[in-house]
């Protein structure tokens, strides 16, 4: 059984919470509840981004038995009914889902998930833009348009113990790209505000948020930081990636399902209960120690419910 985005168009928050509760409780109903919950996340990711915060907040509340302690995020007016993704989109999505468990590298997963955006309806960016703008700090951060570029030589000049030095070591030591993907190749400047800013900025700060947020660069924590990014500003790529992850585990009834749901929802709560980081002028604080910045910004490191390298341990075994 496969789902199409839109299956939960009228599903209220209370039902989302009940689904999450059933998934966590396990038992005979957990598998079907996980499929419907994954469909709800896909609906938000690919058709109705204005419902994203409501769906994830209620899923987390049902999972943990308490409301998320974050600022209210007002859903923008829905306007005309959302146009569903075209058949080519679903072909690409389900091929990626099928391939996800075959050892795809992180770079290929990133590129193929990002490419899904090209198959979405023409008006999707116009729906996503106001949904993201409703998150705290986004409009202020995006007011000046797309950000300038980080310079590796600036990071190389930072002293040991500083954020800039740690960031430099992370990038160089792992042969990462400083901005993950090429913003020009993705034509991010052509997106409506604030997406032009947000999508360029997160390419810059994704690995930086790993450091500041306490997320390791492991398979499980890449899933987790996607939940954090989504909670911080409604990141469209993270929503699509998590829809792929949850759709894959729910429909394959993977034994990793409960681990992934716990990871995603714990990171969502972490992101919602952390002050907004999207507007932090990181370029001005390279010289500061990470622990000092965390205190100043109100960031508590991610309380990972599982060992960060759990997947790597399983593969080694």
């Amino acid at each position: 059984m496969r789902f199409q985005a839109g299956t939960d168009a009228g599903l209220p928050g209370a039902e989302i919470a009940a689904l999450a509760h059933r998934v966590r409780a396990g038992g005979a109903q957990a598998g079907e509840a996980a499929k419907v919950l994954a469909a709800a996340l896909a609906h938000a990711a690919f058709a109705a981004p204005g419902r994203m915060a409501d769906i994830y907040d209620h899923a987390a509340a049902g999972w943990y038995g308490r409301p998320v302690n974050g600022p209210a995020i007002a859903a923008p007016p829905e306007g005309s009914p959302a146009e569903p993704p075209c058949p080519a989109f679903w072909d690409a999505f389900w091929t990626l889902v099928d391939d996800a468990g075959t050892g795809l590298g992180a770079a290929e997963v990133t590129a193929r998930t990002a490419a899904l955006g090209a198959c979405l309806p023409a008006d999707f960016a116009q729906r996503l833009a106001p949904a993201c703008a409703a998150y705290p700090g986004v409009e202020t951060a995006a007011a000046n348009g797309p950000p300038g570029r980080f310079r590796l030589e600036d990071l190389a000049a930072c002293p040991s113990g500083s954020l800039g030095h740690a960031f430099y070591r992370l990038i160089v030591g792992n042969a990462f790209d400083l901005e993950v993907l090429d913003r020009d190749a993705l034509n991010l400047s052509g997106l409506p505000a604030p997406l032009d800013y947000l999508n360029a900025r997160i390419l810059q700060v994704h690995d930086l948020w790993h450091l500041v947020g306490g997320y390791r660069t492991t398979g499980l924590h890449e899933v987790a930081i996607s939940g954090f990014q989504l909670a911080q500003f409604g990141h469209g790529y993270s929503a699509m990636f998590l829809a792929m992850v949850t759709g894959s585990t729910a429909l394959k009834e993977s034994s990793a399902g409960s681990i992934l749901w716990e990871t995603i929802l714990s990171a969502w709560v972490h992101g919602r209960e952390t002050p907004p980081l999207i507007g932090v002028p990181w370029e001005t604080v390279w010289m500061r120690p990470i622990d000092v910045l965390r205190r100043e910004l109100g960031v508590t490191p991610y309380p990972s419910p599982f060992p960060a390298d759990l997947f790597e341990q399983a593969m080694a075994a």
Side-chain angles (χ1 to χ4, degrees):
M1 183 182 74
R2 292 189 169 184
F3 53 77
Q4 299 282 317
T7 57
D8 82 316
L11 206 59
E15 291 190 31
I16 297 290
L19 287 167
H21 178 77
R22 289 202 294 274
V23 174
R24 188 178 194 186
Q29 295 183 330
E32 287 304 312
K35 292 173 185 176
V36 179
L37 187 58
L41 269 55
H43 170 72
F46 304 128
R51 286 214 60 204
M52 191 78 64
D54 179 66
I55 288 173
Y56 272 84
D57 271 356
H58 278 93
W63 191 269
Y64 294 111
R66 69 167 181 89
V68 175
N69 185 25
I73 300 174
E78 291 189 10
S80 59
E83 181 182 345
C86 65
F89 168 87
W90 288 111
D91 289 343
F93 175 78
W94 287 116
T95 299
L96 179 56
V97 166
D98 290 339
D99 291 348
T102 63
L104 290 183
E108 184 174 356
V109 171
T110 298
R112 287 175 62 178
T113 303
L116 291 174
C119 302
L120 291 174
D123 69 344
F124 183 78
Q126 300 298 332
R127 293 178 180 277
L128 181 59
C132 291
Y135 283 69
V138 165
E139 290 191 312
T140 299
N144 294 321
R149 297 178 185 272
F150 291 164
R151 302 195 319 161
L152 198 61
E153 55 265 36
D154 293 339
L155 300 175
C158 294
S160 178
S162 67
L163 171 66
H165 178 78
F167 190 32
Y168 177 80
R169 296 300 302 167
L170 178 65
I171 298 298
V172 173
N174 293 281
F176 289 165
D177 291 325
L178 195 55
E179 294 203 359
V180 184
L181 296 172
D182 185 339
R183 66 166 86 174
D184 295 328
L186 295 172
N187 192 31
L188 299 185
S189 62
L191 294 173
L195 301 182
D196 54 350
Y197 172 85
L198 293 173
N199 287 301
R201 190 60 163 173
I202 196 59
L203 291 178
Q204 294 181 312
V205 303
H206 171 81
D207 291 314
L208 189 60
W209 284 11
H210 268 283
L211 293 171
V212 176
Y215 292 86
R216 296 263 305 279
T217 53
T218 62
L220 188 65
H221 275 204
E222 288 297 345
V223 174
I225 201 170
S226 296
F228 181 84
Q229 291 172 166
L230 185 60
Q232 282 274 300
F233 65 94
H235 186 214
Y237 165 83
S238 291
M240 292 190 291
F241 174 68
L242 295 178
M244 183 272 292
V245 169
T246 56
S248 177
T249 57
L251 295 175
K252 295 176 182 178
E253 298 186 352
S254 168
S255 59
S258 61
I259 293 172
L260 288 167
W261 282 112
E262 174 72 33
T263 297
I264 291 166
L265 293 175
S266 65
W268 168 266
V269 172
H270 184 222
R272 288 281 282 125
E273 297 183 351
T274 295
L277 301 181
I278 196 66
V280 174
W282 300 105
E283 301 89 335
T284 69
V285 296
W286 292 140
M287 301 293 186
R288 310 291 295 282
I290 293 176
D291 57 347
V292 172
L293 282 169
R294 282 175 177 160
R295 288 197 298 271
E296 293 177 348
L297 297 172
V299 179
T300 300
Y302 173 55
S304 185
F306 308 103
D309 62 347
L310 183 64
F311 289 167
E312 289 77 6
Q313 289 183 36
M315 291 180 65

